[in-house]
Amino acid sequence: MSVKQMKKQLAIAALSVVMAAVALGSATYAWFVSNTKVDGTTSTVSAQANGMVLQIASGPNAIHNGSDHQTTAASHGHEISPSSTDDALNWHVPKSWNGTDVSGYQRATIFDQRHGSYTLKGDTETYYAYTMAEYTLYTINQTGEADVYLDNSSSNGPVVVTASEGASQDWFDKIKGSLRVGLLIDDKLKVVYAPVLPTGKGNDVSATEGWSCVNSGNLSVTMAPSYAHVCGDNMVDQNGKNWGATGSGDSYVKPTGDAQMLAHVGYNGTNFKVVIWMEGTDSDCQNMSGLDVGEGSPTFDVTVSLVGIVPDSK
């Protein structure tokens, strides 16, 4: 295969995270009043990659078996409770309230990093700050290297959230509105995606406008997050970096303007994690009505699409 041909061999990776979701009802205030966990059923996480450049495998290792079409990987999701983070390392959950607004937070001591599980003092329940799926992105031997970007070819953007049958529109809007999808390369949070642009005042006492998270230096207030963040089909982050490649078939092109790749991967593979949480400071992460406890036990799916492009220098 010539260098010119290799440059045309582009790959799409669709990383699908199916999370346990919520049976929300009259006790929804318990999200913040008593920090009751969100109930739901456990589903799966899957990943897919097609093409000759970008490959994907579940877990921490590349799989070189001569087939050169590692197209599917799988993991499992679980229930989550509202939480907040600025780096996907330190997680915070509500501690005190002023009415239904959170007036103070506490650090959640995660005892299982893979599942984001934690407990609270005086409470025997186990809660989950997030759900995580681990993959390895890599290339086949013949192509050698690929630059990985978010695939912004669809009008829906690179992340699509869908709800299972039985979910009310109000329920789905709340989930979609407060959802955050963090993409980590080698355990470093590279970018966070929100399906819906965070707007309005948060449900914490600080009432931070728009994007927000707990301030690790002062747990009684919130702040604008320092991580790079994008939303909807707008792949330009707050720093002017463009994370979204566009195109179709064999004609994908890297982002216009100040392009920002998610990762540069090679034959040996690069660790890639997808971390999903409901941002507890978001205005949508609050009480709702219209879905009785146990009604349908709806779940939601989160699909993240990536594209691998052979570097210009190759």
Side-chain angles (χ1 to χ4, degrees):
M1 182 180 294
S2 67
V3 171
K4 183 177 181 180
Q5 288 174 316
M6 285 191 289
K7 285 188 176 182
K8 292 183 178 181
Q9 293 294 335
L10 309 179
I12 302 173
L15 308 181
S16 181
V17 179
V18 182
M19 294 175 42
V22 190
L24 295 180
S26 59
T28 308
Y29 276 118
W31 278 22
F32 294 109
V33 173
S34 64
N35 204 44
T36 297
K37 68 183 180 182
V38 174
D39 294 322
T41 57
T42 300
S43 296
T44 61
V45 178
S46 62
Q48 211 172 320
N50 301 311
M52 298 298 289
V53 175
L54 186 63
Q55 306 284 291
I56 188 166
S58 179
N61 301 303
I63 301 175
H64 297 294
N65 58 12
S67 63
D68 298 332
H69 54 78
Q70 298 299 323
T71 60
T72 304
S75 183
H76 291 275
H78 53 70
E79 64 200 17
I80 52 176
S81 299
S83 62
S84 185
T85 186
D86 189 43
D87 54 13
L89 295 174
N90 299 291
W91 295 86
H92 305 90
V93 295
K95 181 180 180 180
S96 56
W97 297 263
N98 180 359
T100 58
D101 291 333
V102 181
S103 58
Y105 294 85
Q106 58 189 318
R107 191 181 304 277
T109 300
I110 307 297
F111 60 81
D112 184 340
Q113 296 297 324
R114 172 65 179 81
H115 296 96
S117 52
Y118 68 95
T119 57
L120 297 173
K121 185 177 181 180
D123 191 341
T124 59
E125 289 284 340
T126 297
Y127 303 96
Y128 300 88
Y130 56 84
T131 187
M132 177 188 294
E134 181 176 18
Y135 304 99
T136 298
L137 298 173
Y138 63 100
T139 62
I140 63 173
N141 188 39
Q142 289 87 340
T143 57
E145 299 176 359
D147 293 339
V148 181
Y149 299 94
L150 295 177
D151 180 6
N152 200 33
S153 301
S154 168
S155 60
N156 295 320
V159 177
V160 177
V161 184
T162 55
S164 67
E165 185 177 353
S168 72
Q169 189 61 47
D170 285 344
W171 176 91
F172 181 56
D173 288 344
K174 292 293 185 183
I175 294 296
K176 191 174 181 179
S178 60
L179 200 67
R180 301 292 184 269
V181 181
L183 307 181
L184 287 75
I185 298 296
D186 293 331
D187 289 321
K188 180 179 180 181
L189 183 61
K190 300 288 288 187
V191 64
V192 174
Y193 179 89
V196 178
L197 178 66
T199 58
K201 297 182 182 299
N203 54 16
D204 56 282
V205 171
S206 300
T208 307
E209 291 275 0
W211 285 87
S212 62
C213 65
V214 172
N215 186 337
S216 294
N218 183 351
L219 300 185
S220 65
V221 299
T222 58
M223 66 179 190
S226 64
Y227 54 67
H229 51 268
V230 294
C231 66
D233 62 355
N234 181 12
M235 292 298 97
V236 179
D237 67 21
Q238 75 273 28
N239 301 313
K241 303 288 187 179
N242 191 345
W243 297 76
T246 56
S248 63
D250 63 353
S251 59
Y252 278 90
V253 295
K254 70 179 184 180
T256 59
D258 194 355
Q260 179 63 60
M261 71 179 73
L262 179 65
H264 178 82
V265 304
Y267 185 72
N268 291 330
T270 298
N271 186 266
F272 172 54
K273 291 184 176 73
V274 179
V275 178
I276 295 180
W277 73 96
M278 290 186 293
E279 176 53 57
T281 67
D282 192 275
S283 60
D284 276 315
C285 200
Q286 57 183 292
N287 184 58
M288 62 160 284
S289 60
L291 186 67
D292 293 332
V293 174
E295 181 184 335
S297 295
T299 62
F300 61 92
D301 302 343
V302 179
T303 303
V304 183
S305 297
L306 307 178
V307 59
I309 301 178
V310 175
D312 293 337
S313 60
K314 297 296 179 181

